[in-house]
Amino acid sequence: MIELDCRGLKCPLPVITLARRIAEAEPGETVRVLADDPAARADIPAWCRMKNHDYLGEPEPGTYEIRKKSS
Amino acid sequence: MADIAARAYLDAASSAPLHPVARQALLAALDDGWADPARLYTEARRARQLLDAARETVAGVLAARPDEVAFCASGTQAVQLAVLGGLGGRRRAGDLLVHSAIEHSAVLHAAESHVSGGGRATSVGVSRAGAVDPAEFAAAVRAPGVALAALMTANHEAGTVQPVAEVAAECSAAGVPLYCDAAQSVGRVAIPGGWSLLSASAHKWGGPPGVGVLVVRKGVRYRSPLPADERESGRVPGFGNLPAVVAAAASLRAAESEREAEAGRLWPLVDRIRREVAASVPDVEVAGDPVARLPHLVTFSCLYLDGEALLHALDARGFAVSSGSSCTSSTLTPSHVLEAMGVLSHGNVRISLHRGTTEHDVTRFLAELPGIVADLRATAGVSGL
């Protein structure tokens, strides 16, 4: 699992970081994003929807999990 | 710099340009309506006649009785009085306020004030398109101890029209008064019936700033949250701005007479924006209901863009728009509306048209937007992500 520490980054930088680094993940692999910008809560799930990745949820506040699409 | 003459003002939902009828009425009323309408001499009677006529006009448009209409110092004041006065009047029935998650911040701040005073509030979520589910809203209203329900007629950021008629029927069955914030709808679309309290704001329909409208239906319990004052049926304190009220009423009458023609003209322009932005800008999300919507308002979000940078770039090219992105808000939090809908909050732009908006303005906007977005993405190094 890849973990991206985006704490301290303001919107839209956490989503940009995620979009750049998702390339490093294998298809189906989980990527975890740590982000404390309040916009991440809306924007990470929205990005997943727009890019067809699976948004897995926010297991704890400020931690977001994404599963990279399989192809 | 863009020529000032080439500017397109596309933020009517924040404040519409003054209707020419409002300007004429304001100037006339400054001469004729300066006296205290509560006094008993000739000058006062003239002011009183102007105030009464304004009240009748506004009541007529809202299908209300004149004595149900009070003029306030702003739309925000009308919201605050409607929420707190509506709750206060129902203190014996309960202390719970039910509201949608996408109400204007003025409603949400009034709800916070109610909660900080010991009351309770429940928020009802919305669909991705930005509408409440009437069954879900009704279930919340049927809970014990509900004093007041608040549902806006249409959302100010997404343009989505709310199912007010259905919700009003459910509220009526539950014996709960319904308050509707109609700020974005009055003068734009037909106002649904069934509400107990309603508020609106004149500068959204082309009236002057500083005039709000509070309507409390006969028989609805209302208890002013403010100290006693004899003005406006005891609902709004202070010597009102009569010339502005007269101008507000005159412009509402004008907007109402033009309403259907204007809606018919602006609706396809918004359809065109929705369609062409989605087709010409990569990685964009056009939000709100494409059909159950206001005729003049649309919002969209561009992936990877800073809303403030987008707003400034559009301004430099002659377009005045607003944004719900967090970087454009004083609190640095994203729009609670976009968040509740679950749509992208960054890179957000809201376009709202008015009677002065031309097809040429929209064509120019649509021609320039893709290049502006592409340039900003290239500068940020996010092209092709």
Side-chain angles (χ1 to χ4, degrees):
Chain A
M1 183 171 70
I2 294 176
E3 183 170 290
L4 305 174
D5 188 352
C6 297
R7 286 174 294 187
L9 297 183
K10 296 288 170 214
C11 112
L13 291 175
V15 170
I16 291 173
T17 306
L18 173 59
R20 285 207 173 105
R21 303 277 309 271
I22 194 106
E24 297 164 21
E26 299 293 329
E29 188 180 350
T30 298
V31 178
R32 175 179 283 176
V33 182
L34 308 180
D36 50 15
D37 186 86
R41 187 156 294 124
D43 289 355
I44 290 176
W47 178 83
C48 289
R49 187 162 41 74
M50 291 170 79
K51 293 294 184 181
N52 297 316
H53 299 291
D54 287 332
Y55 176 65
L56 302 177
E58 188 178 356
E60 51 191 287
T63 299
Y64 305 90
E65 290 187 349
I66 294 99
R67 184 162 54 228
K68 184 173 174 175
K69 63 187 164 193
S70 22
S71 56
Chain B
M1 281 303 275
D3 178 3
I4 193 76
R7 284 195 66 82
Y9 178 79
L10 303 175
D11 193 21
S14 290
S15 193
L18 194 68
H19 195 292
V21 161
R23 189 169 190 282
Q24 289 168 10
L26 183 63
L27 292 174
L30 283 169
D31 287 333
D32 292 338
W34 48 268
D36 184 343
R39 298 294 171 247
L40 299 174
Y41 33 79
T42 303
E43 294 82 352
R45 276 196 296 277
R46 198 187 305 145
R48 181 87 223 172
Q49 282 166 1
L50 288 172
L51 180 59
D52 289 346
R55 204 184 305 282
E56 276 174 35
T57 298
V58 172
V61 170
L62 299 176
R65 293 167 37 152
D67 60 354
E68 296 172 335
V69 173
F71 294 109
C72 303
S74 67
T76 299
Q77 187 190 37
V79 167
Q80 293 173 346
L81 293 175
V83 173
L84 298 178
L87 286 165
R90 293 260 302 163
R91 209 174 296 174
R92 284 189 196 148
D95 68 344
L96 183 56
L97 169 67
V98 173
H99 62 81
S100 84
I102 55 160
E103 294 301 304
H104 190 274
S105 56
V107 174
L108 300 184
H109 289 316
E112 285 165 18
S113 170
H114 172 63
V115 170
S116 70
R120 297 176 297 146
T122 300
S123 177
V124 177
V126 295
S127 64
R128 174 75 38 77
V132 296
D133 170 15
E136 189 186 348
F137 199 93
V141 166
R142 284 194 296 264
V146 176
L148 182 70
L151 180 63
M152 63 197 339
T153 48
N155 185 260
H156 53 300
E157 289 186 45
T160 303
V161 169
Q162 301 300 318
V164 167
E166 286 160 273
V167 165
E170 296 284 356
C171 288
S172 172
V176 171
L178 175 65
Y179 156 57
C180 285
D181 165 11
Q184 294 297 346
S185 299
V186 172
R188 297 287 193 170
V189 291
I191 303 301
W195 43 268
S196 296
L197 301 105
L198 178 138
S199 65
S201 180
H203 73 119
K204 311 284 191 192
W205 70 61
V211 180
V213 174
L214 167 68
V215 190
V216 182
R217 288 283 194 207
K218 267 285 173 261
V220 172
R221 287 186 178 276
Y222 180 89
R223 185 190 169 106
S224 177
L226 298 173
D229 192 273
E230 75 276 16
R231 308 264 170 190
E232 297 297 303
S233 315
R235 289 183 180 142
V236 187
F239 190 128
N241 185 347
L242 179 56
V245 164
V246 169
S251 56
L252 179 57
R253 188 197 289 121
E256 187 65 14
S257 68
E258 298 164 353
R259 177 168 64 77
E260 287 186 16
E262 272 299 288
R265 188 179 73 86
L266 299 180
W267 181 279
L269 291 179
V270 165
D271 256 352
R272 197 178 143 205
I273 296 171
R274 295 185 68 94
R275 198 171 55 242
E276 290 188 24
V277 166
S280 66
V281 178
D283 288 328
V284 72
E285 181 165 44
V286 181
D289 195 301
V291 179
R293 63 166 172 83
L294 292 169
H296 65 294
L297 195 154
V298 55
T299 192
F300 57 85
S301 301
C302 305
L303 205 49
Y304 312 130
L305 284 192
D306 174 332
E308 189 177 12
L310 182 51
L311 197 150
H312 287 318
L314 285 166
D315 186 39
R317 298 297 306 159
F319 302 104
V321 303
S322 75
S323 170
S325 296
S326 56
C327 43
T328 65
S329 81
S330 56
T331 55
L332 295 180
T333 54
S335 144
H336 67 276
V337 173
L338 301 176
E339 201 171 19
M341 292 167 65
V343 301
L344 194 69
S345 80
H346 67 242
N348 176 257
V349 167
R350 178 186 68 181
I351 305 291
S352 46
L353 314 181
H354 53 90
R355 62 191 296 282
T357 306
T358 64
E359 187 168 1
H360 174 71
D361 293 335
V362 171
T363 299
R364 194 166 70 82
F365 176 79
L366 290 170
E368 296 221 23
L369 180 72
I372 291 169
V373 170
D375 285 352
L376 288 171
R377 283 183 174 151
T379 304
V382 296
S383 307
L385 264 187

